[in-house]
Amino acid sequence: MGRYQLKIELLSDMCVSDGGVYNSSLDTDICYDRYGFPFIPARRIKGCLRECGQELCDWGMTIPVSDLFGDKGADTNRAKVRIGNAYPEHYDEMVRQAKEYEGNLIFHPQNVLDHFSYIRTQTAVDYDTGVADPTSLRTIRVADKGLVFLANVDVDDRYYESLNACCDTFTNIGIARTRGLGEIRATLVKGTEKPKVDTARNVHAPYVPGAMRLDYELFLEEPVICKSTNGGESRSLDYIDGGKMLGLIAQEIRRQGGDFLAFMRKGEFFCSNAYLAVDGERCLEVPANCYSIKNDHQRYVEKCSQKSIPKEAEKLQLNMMKHCYVRMDSAGNLHRETVRMEERYHHRRPEDKSIGRAAEEASGDSRFYQMSSIEAGQRFAGYVTGTAEQIQTVYRSLSGLQEICLGYSHSSEYGKTQIKVTGLKTEVPIRTAELKDFMVKLESPVILYNDRAFYSTDIADLDAEIRTVLGFSNTPARVKYIDRYVNYTTVGGYNVTWNMRKPTIEAFDKGTVLLYHLEEPVSVTLPGQVLIGERVSGGFGEVSVRKLEMGEEGRILLLGKQTSASQVERVHADPGSLAEALCSDLFHYYVKMRAVSDVKNLSGKDAELKTEQARPTVSNMLLMCRENSSMNAIAGSVEKRYGRKSENKEDKLKLAGRILDFAEKRSEPLVVLFSEKYHVADFEFSREAAEYLYLEAFLQQLKYSIREREAKGKQKEEA
């Protein structure tokens, strides 16, 4: 596979809409990331290139469209090209700055977005009357003409010429492409290896001879889709199921000439689910026996039996904790963590290219659809266990990888992930413990059969499976009682090799807790890895066992406090940097707001500046601002226009002089005040430019204020 970059230059304004509306003042927005940087989704690019390939075929050229871009739902003919999202030039450096100054208003996502785009308005005209149709005004955000976007492209070298031909005819993208928007120039250039996000973390841990467990960490460069049985493409799991890693391992073993079936016969092999990782620690589902306290965000109640509610919590309203992931710190405090999810909107254009929009199919199915995914930029951790020979094979397969593709739709826009082996260790040996009270928690969904070979969610079947695995199934009389805190889920999947769906099954969900209370201690066998149920190789059936302290009762415990944001760091507006450009943009808004406030608060003799008598002078000075670009030039124009010896001209000259003096005085400290307000350092903006900017804003607001007073006066006369 050759690595290239697709360079997209905007020859006109462009709107690649994401289908979402985030505020009432905007009808159509563009796609942008969490930092505010606009981007062109890879699926839009791939769709446009496919159309270009089909058009070239219509013109008589031979373009292998199906081989190049793949067929829908076909595993045997996957796309030979992989396209990433197109981001602005120098994106990595700009993101580094955005992360460095995260929390500072200068780098607020909307400020970043405003730097690369602006809002246009448009309306429909009634051809009979020649005026705008009522309620037809629309606002649309567009990316600025002149921006350059870059997308990483991996393509089989045999198809390079065909892809290059498609790029040559790729001239428009986005909405309203037939009405002036979205004109582009696309060029396929030889790419360079993309620098990794965190180079230090991409070094794999050294191999440990005899290791029987391999820990790994995933960093999502792009969103990842792990389809949920409930909701199809519109919903994604918020973790990466073990089946994805099992498939990746199988693919790498086969690619390197190995036999995956022979590999699996060497012993019991297990791929865990990869859950959210915070500070290198793998978070787990909150236990179902933990209850939140209504209107209390700092404490929670952990029940150790159905009746074990602490006395101080008896009058409190308790609710089961909603689905979340947790980790425990060294002080025993529980920290709640949330996986960031996102939805992106997509559409399919009709086969009839004369229809320039997405339309419903004859069956009534909409061509608009949304895809839920795990947001990029997050880390997930998991592990695999097996025999020493299996782990050695897995390590050899993964250590040669740094970038992988996981999940659905990973030929464009989704799925690119970095992988790193974080540790190898020998398996904890099987041990025997004397337990009387203990907790069994499901760390992943569990699929069970009953004695009639049907899938079961009967708690009795789960209890029987646990007793068998732990080795005390022959001592049922010793169990005093079992407390049950149960979650349920639906699991399924899709086998791309067979091109068939897996059966949809009701199962016990992760977080389920069974608390065992025995009449007397019993010898329990605890294997190093407790697995129960079916399909354990693909992440199902992971179980943990914890001993309860003697007489342990329900407790009110503290939730770990979220790390508070440190003091906002000052933004260094280095010349030529994005920080300087954003500071300049925001300074313009700041000056205008100061001018509005100053006009509103004019008092005493200065209040004469917004009387009706001052209107001609204000209007003339606004024209001077448009004709001149400096304060000295404006002062010269004032002197030239009003410097004649007449009483009328002399009064206007004095009024214009007062306006210039007022603007000079009020604009002097603006740069200092702005820097202090927005925590900016080293921001340079020339004094003359600040005076000119303030004067123009001040005059515009004066003119508006005068008109407003005149309108109010007329209303009073009419009343």
Side-chain angles (χ1 to χ4, degrees), residues 96-145:
R96 185 196 64 77
Q97 289 188 52
K99 290 180 178 178
E100 180 181 357
Y101 298 120
E102 192 169 9
N104 190 297
L105 188 59
I106 296 294
F107 275 88
H108 189 281
Q110 287 300 315
N111 290 334
V112 175
L113 180 61
D114 287 342
H115 178 71
F116 293 97
S117 63
Y118 71 99
I119 296 176
R120 295 171 56 154
T121 56
Q122 58 192 35
T123 188
V125 175
D126 187 325
Y127 291 104
D128 295 330
T129 62
V131 299
D133 284 342
T135 69
S136 66
L137 183 65
R138 295 291 182 269
T139 55
I140 177 175
R141 187 189 296 276
V142 294
D144 294 334
K145 172 185 176 181

Side-chain angles (χ1 to χ4, degrees), residues 54-161:
Q54 291 171 342
E55 288 185 10
L56 290 174
C57 290
D58 293 341
W59 296 342
M61 293 184 63
T62 303
I63 302 294
V65 176
S66 295
D67 291 339
L68 194 56
F69 302 106
D71 290 329
K72 179 182 177 183
D75 178 63
T76 56
N77 193 24
R78 293 184 178 180
K80 303 303 187 296
V81 59
R82 190 193 187 282
I83 303 174
N85 293 335
Y87 292 98
E89 281 186 307
H90 314 298
Y91 174 74
D92 290 338
E93 172 59 25
M94 292 189 295
V95 167
R96 185 196 64 77
Q97 289 188 52
K99 290 180 178 178
E100 180 181 357
Y101 298 120
E102 192 169 9
N104 190 297
L105 188 59
I106 296 294
F107 275 88
H108 189 281
Q110 287 300 315
N111 290 334
V112 175
L113 180 61
D114 287 342
H115 178 71
F116 293 97
S117 63
Y118 71 99
I119 296 176
R120 295 171 56 154
T121 56
Q122 58 192 35
T123 188
V125 175
D126 187 325
Y127 291 104
D128 295 330
T129 62
V131 299
D133 284 342
T135 69
S136 66
L137 183 65
R138 295 291 182 269
T139 55
I140 177 175
R141 187 189 296 276
V142 294
D144 294 334
K145 172 185 176 181
L147 286 176
V148 176
F149 291 82
L150 297 174
N152 289 325
V153 176
D154 296 323
V155 61
D156 190 320
D157 291 329
R158 295 173 299 171
Y159 296 90
Y160 169 77
E161 294 298 333

Side-chain angles (χ1 to χ4, degrees), residues 473-485:
S473 58
N474 296 325
T475 57
R478 295 185 179 182
V479 178
K480 189 191 311 182
Y481 63 94
I482 304 173
D483 284 317
R484 306 167 178 85
Y485 303 89

Side-chain angles (χ1 to χ4, degrees), residues 225-236:
I225 299 174
C226 292
K227 288 184 181 179
S228 168
T229 303
N230 298 324
E233 290 186 346
S234 63
R235 288 184 59 190
S236 171

Side-chain angles (χ1 to χ4, degrees), residues 587 590-591 594-595 598 631 659-674 685-698:
F587 182 70
Y590 177 75
V591 169
R594 288 298 297 252
D598 289 345
M631 288 290 288
I659 292 175
L660 291 173
D661 291 341
F662 185 89
E664 181 179 2
K665 178 182 177 182
R666 297 296 294 176
S667 62
E668 182 177 357
L670 286 181
V671 174
V672 176
L673 293 173
F674 170 80
F685 201 90
S686 70
R687 169 73 184 280
E688 187 175 1
E691 289 179 358
Y692 174 82
L693 186 64
Y694 179 86
L695 175 62
E696 186 176 26
F698 183 71

